[in-house]
Amino acid sequence: MTESTTHHGIGPEHGTGAVVVVAAALLDRGRLLAARRSAPADLAGRWELPGGKVEPGERPEDALVRELREELGVEAEPGERIPGEWPLKPGYVLRVWTARLLSGEPRPLEDHDELRWLSRHELDAVDWLDQDRPAVAEAALRLPAARP
């Protein structure tokens, strides 16, 4: 994503009339990856699931793979779509997929200044963007339960 994009970027319209934005609940070794925004200013310091815009003619799953490569420098495989979709700014909707890390170590290359792997019991340790919270709660159901 570029600095001129908003939360998760922007993309083309897909079916519903809303611009579809994709994000990944990137899972690895029982943890979920959180990315801290560095831009724009009104979102900086808050945490999100990484992702971005779906380009014209691109399948959402392909956009997810491309965005993770561009933003984090990793190769990942999309899994299941997390049920639901969440409004971003007017006319934009967020859809989230689980994804499995195939290769590479995530690095904050674009729009983020820090990454953290969080176990299920650590998910509340970061200040998630409001629109990401429902998807994070759904992703948490796919993580191992916290040990007593």
Side-chain angles (χ1 to χ4, degrees):
M1 296 187 320
T2 64
E3 288 183 28
S4 63
T5 60
T6 58
H7 172 69
H8 292 299
I10 57 174
E13 294 182 13
H14 283 277
T16 64
V19 175
V20 175
V21 176
V22 295
L26 189 60
L27 305 171
D28 187 53
R29 293 179 290 197
R31 303 168 302 161
L32 174 71
L33 187 71
R36 188 172 67 184
R37 296 287 310 196
S38 57
D42 62 325
L43 301 178
R46 306 260 330 259
W47 294 79
E48 68 177 358
L49 298 171
K53 65 182 177 177
V54 178
E55 298 292 343
E58 188 176 40
R59 292 180 336 117
E61 294 89 341
D62 295 335
L64 193 67
V65 169
R66 179 183 49 75
E67 287 288 344
L68 292 175
R69 187 179 302 127
E70 291 172 2
E71 288 191 0
L72 306 176
V74 298
E75 293 301 319
E77 176 181 54
E80 68 176 305
R81 182 162 164 218
I82 301 247
E85 59 181 36
W86 299 275
L88 300 174
K89 64 184 185 177
Y92 291 74
V93 64
L94 173 65
R95 295 182 184 161
V96 179
W97 277 258
T98 62
R100 183 172 64 95
L101 187 63
L102 296 177
S103 66
E105 183 64 33
R107 300 177 320 278
L109 302 176
E110 290 184 11
D111 294 337
H112 302 106
D113 61 4
E114 185 179 341
L115 303 175
R116 286 179 62 184
W117 286 106
L118 303 172
S119 64
R120 189 174 189 173
H121 73 278
E122 295 172 313
L123 293 176
D124 291 332
V126 300
D127 183 18
W128 293 100
L129 289 170
D130 295 340
Q131 52 269 59
D132 283 47
R133 289 180 188 276
V136 169
E138 280 290 325
L141 301 175
R142 289 140 178 91
L143 293 172
R147 295 188 184 120

